[in-house]
Amino acid sequence: VISLSGTDSVQVKSGTSMAAPLVSGTFALMRSMNNDLSYALGRSILQSTAIDIGPAGFDIEFGFGRIDLAACLQAVQETLPSPADLNVDGVVDGLDLGILLGQWGPCGSCDPTTCPADIDGDCTVSGTDLGILLAEWSAGKPA
């Protein structure tokens, strides 16, 4: 890690003192995307998305490798529930379609808690929301 040295120079440093803030900052970004992300899942994502830069697998010098922030955040994005899972049961299916059709038309309020079928946030449950729901259709698989 290139780090400040004194008041007017930089130097390359390594070790846990350099790695810990990077890992902590990455985990903070991960949690900012999904506040329900557990420590265990976060650790697994960090390890599985790291770019291996030493001998294959974990090693004493490089650990699991270099953080790949883009891959890490993409993996966290995949842990988020689908906004089309209107009844929050883990699948986007006919039950969600029923909720959407039951709320069809203008929402009385733009508050997502009172009009969850307004998936696109335009204060109306319409064909756009239906398209999003159908694109997310799980066919019995977790959302």
Side-chain angles (χ1 to χ4, degrees), residues 69-91:
L69 183 60
C72 224
L73 298 182
Q74 177 62 41
V76 172
Q77 181 71 33
E78 294 168 8
T79 69
L80 296 172
S82 168
D85 182 13
L86 301 177
N87 64 349
V88 196
D89 67 351
V91 293

Side-chain angles (χ1 to χ4, degrees), residues 2-140:
I2 297 174
S3 182
L4 295 175
S5 178
T7 58
D8 60 352
S9 65
V10 294
Q11 69 183 108
V12 175
K13 296 183 177 183
S14 64
T16 55
S17 294
M18 294 288 102
L22 294 175
V23 173
S24 298
T26 300
F27 193 77
L29 283 171
M30 294 164 67
R31 287 291 302 265
S32 75
M33 290 179 64
N34 181 355
N35 197 44
D36 295 327
L37 185 71
S38 69
Y39 167 78
L41 181 55
R43 180 179 177 162
S44 174
I45 290 171
L46 278 165
Q47 292 173 349
S48 66
T49 59
I51 298 168
D52 199 348
I53 57 174
F58 179 85
D59 61 85
I60 195 71
E61 188 172 353
F62 299 106
F64 286 94
R66 185 177 67 237
I67 291 173
D68 182 341
L69 183 60
C72 224
L73 298 182
Q74 177 62 41
V76 172
Q77 181 71 33
E78 294 168 8
T79 69
L80 296 172
S82 168
D85 182 13
L86 301 177
N87 64 349
V88 196
D89 67 351
V91 293
V92 178
D93 59 12
L95 297 173
D96 302 296
L97 177 60
I99 293 169
L100 185 136
L101 295 175
Q103 294 183 357
W104 195 267
C107 294
S109 161
C110 287
D111 180 2
T113 60
T114 61
C115 193
D118 178 22
I119 301 168
D120 66 358
D122 68 354
C123 302
T124 302
V125 179
S126 64
T128 305
D129 302 298
L130 177 60
I132 294 169
L133 185 138
L134 294 176
E136 294 288 320
W137 195 272
S138 300

